[in-house]
Amino acid sequence: MSSLPPTPKPLATAPGRQAAHHHGLHDHSAQGQSLEGALQQAGFYPRLVADVVADALDGRDCVAHLVHLETHFDRAEVRRHITVLVLTEDMLVITHVDDQQLDEAGEQTVAQVSTESVPVTQIGSVVLSYVYAQPQDYKPSDPVRELTLSIAWSGGQRLDMGPATCGDPQCEADHGYSGTIAQEDIVLRISAEADGLQAVQDAKLFARALRAVNTGSAAPVQHIGPGLPPRPRMGVFSNRLSRGHQR
């Protein structure tokens, strides 16, 4: 199995060259961390991702953001995927970035990038699904174990079907099929075990901000659950992100 590609590191700006300033990436959202800081923390081609996101924002300010990094194992390869959701006053910008190795040694790598900009007025639903451990012993201080964020805007639906049963394990009759229909365009699953408690909290805050902008209500007030301290504000990185950098 191949190892993960080396994490890109911030590079110093070349002498005599002024670094590009991405408008909106340095705004602190409800999470208390700038979008640029979140991309740097994820460590997945932060300069490339920041350039793509900044281009998609087209000068808009970031109201809230959510950065989610996933790692998948595909036979002998390790693939990573990052999803960046950026909320502005009128748009939801979704960015997906995957990387793929072209040779066994991992020396030739390509990144596949896609962006989508959705007017917030077009968003039909924002669904949050929670998973709690040992609900019979639930206390207000118990953290959410897992959170799934589903956002729908295009009217597309996902259909999950399977053979229907009558509950009798010995029954061999054909009961047809049963299933569920879910309306969703993007689904993100954030696990406290895999991503950390703060990642789950950030997802909740992002969903609140999205609901507030989508419904035209007042900006959401940050709520910190018991036992979860506020995320400290992170300053702007000294090395600004600049265009054209490669790994």
Side-chain angles (χ1 to χ4, degrees):
M1 180 177 294
S2 60
S3 59
L4 288 173
T7 300
K9 297 180 179 179
L11 302 177
T13 304
R17 179 180 177 183
Q18 185 175 1
H21 176 83
H22 292 323
H23 181 68
L25 295 191
H26 305 284
D27 299 330
H28 291 277
S29 63
Q31 294 96 324
Q33 184 184 35
S34 69
L35 175 55
E36 183 191 10
L39 295 177
Q40 290 282 359
Q41 184 176 359
F44 186 73
Y45 312 115
R47 290 183 175 179
L48 170 63
V49 179
D51 276 352
V52 173
V53 172
D55 184 68
L57 286 176
D58 196 21
R60 293 178 174 86
D61 291 328
C62 172
V63 174
H65 64 268
L66 183 61
V67 177
H68 185 54
L69 179 64
E70 298 177 276
T71 302
H72 301 281
F73 297 92
D74 184 10
R75 295 182 180 178
E77 294 184 0
V78 179
R79 296 183 181 180
R80 293 183 294 172
H81 174 88
I82 193 170
T83 302
V84 182
L85 305 182
V86 181
L87 177 66
T88 72
E89 291 184 355
D90 62 338
M91 300 287 290
L92 174 64
V93 177
I94 304 100
T95 302
H96 297 284
V97 182
D98 295 272
D99 69 347
Q100 183 177 1
Q101 297 178 359
L102 300 181
D103 59 344
E104 294 182 358
E107 297 178 355
Q108 299 295 325
T109 305
V110 295
Q112 298 175 329
V113 184
S114 66
T115 63
E116 183 173 4
S117 299
V118 181
V120 294
T121 55
Q122 189 175 329
I123 296 175
S125 67
V126 179
V127 180
L128 284 177
S129 301
Y130 302 88
V131 174
Y132 284 91
Q134 303 300 325
Q136 69 276 13
D137 301 323
Y138 172 78
K139 301 182 298 297
S141 59
D142 289 348
V144 179
R145 180 178 178 180
E146 181 181 305
L147 183 144
T148 301
L149 171 62
S150 303
I151 308 173
W153 61 83
S154 69
Q157 295 179 331
R158 176 175 57 85
L159 177 63
D160 293 327
M161 295 192 65
T165 62
C166 65
D168 182 0
Q170 304 299 325
C171 180
E172 298 181 356
D174 184 0
H175 296 282
Y177 290 85
S178 64
T180 58
I181 297 178
Q183 184 181 17
E184 58 190 30
D185 286 284
I186 186 171
V187 179
L188 290 181
R189 173 180 171 270
I190 299 95
S191 167
E193 182 178 357
D195 306 303
L197 289 174
Q198 187 62 57
V200 176
Q201 183 69 13
D202 286 347
K204 292 171 63 177
L205 291 174
F206 178 83
R208 288 174 184 161
L210 180 58
R211 286 196 298 256
V213 172
N214 183 232
T215 59
S217 59
V221 178
Q222 181 175 2
H223 171 74
I224 302 298
L228 191 60
R231 180 193 290 271
R233 288 184 175 270
M234 297 182 64
V236 176
F237 284 88
S238 58
N239 295 326
R240 302 288 189 181
L241 302 183
S242 56
R243 295 188 181 274
H245 287 286
Q246 299 179 355
R247 294 179 59 225

